[in-house]
Amino acid sequence: QVQLVESGGGSVQAGDSLRLSCAASGLTMSSFGRGWFRQAPGKEREFVAAISVRGASTDYADSVKGRFTISRDNAKKMVYLQMNSLKPEDTAVYYCAAGGYRLRLGVVDYWGQGTQVTVSS
């Protein structure tokens, strides 16, 4: 029933920007916080950003604070990740997620399939 599908990934140069999108189907947006995680080659999956149900609160990993912005549009069942000033260390597969208040801790109810972001120097 529930499906999350990411889009917007690609290959860019350091300093460039990308906007990732995640479309939800079968998901009651008003019941879930939303977030983004990423996994680099040979690394564990890590938390990137989260946003509360109504978008009043956001949380970011220290490594992306000031560069990334998470937002959501419940009417469109969309969540976004605006990524500015990209660095090579941002290279990873980015995953969309939905969950409760522990989402930022890695407790996730639903995962997307992921989209590749590659940043070259």
Side-chain angles (χ1 to χ4, degrees):
Q1 290 182 341
V2 174
Q3 187 171 12
L4 307 179
V5 180
E6 303 94 335
S7 63
S11 182
V12 299
Q13 296 286 322
D16 287 350
S17 297
L18 280 175
R19 188 185 73 164
L20 304 183
S21 299
C22 180
S25 62
L27 184 73
T28 302
M29 294 288 285
S30 61
S31 297
F32 292 92
R34 304 297 301 278
W36 292 91
F37 292 74
R38 67 187 183 187
Q39 188 166 21
K43 302 291 183 65
E44 297 292 325
R45 188 171 299 188
E46 66 175 348
F47 168 77
V48 175
I51 187 166
S52 60
V53 172
R54 296 189 177 187
S57 178
T58 58
D59 193 23
Y60 299 92
D62 288 342
S63 59
V64 307
K65 286 181 179 177
R67 300 189 298 119
F68 291 11
T69 302
I70 187 171
S71 61
R72 65 189 293 165
D73 185 333
N74 287 349
K76 296 181 178 180
K77 293 190 173 184
M78 297 289 290
V79 63
Y80 307 95
L81 185 68
Q82 178 66 45
M83 305 185 295
N84 297 328
S85 301
L86 283 163
K87 304 175 181 179
E89 49 262 47
D90 294 319
T91 295
V93 176
Y94 284 71
Y95 297 90
C96 179
Y101 73 98
R102 298 181 67 187
L103 177 64
R104 67 195 67 181
L105 301 179
V107 181
V108 175
D109 292 316
Y110 302 101
W111 290 103
Q113 297 298 300
T115 186
Q116 177 71 49
V117 172
T118 301
V119 185
S120 59
S121 60

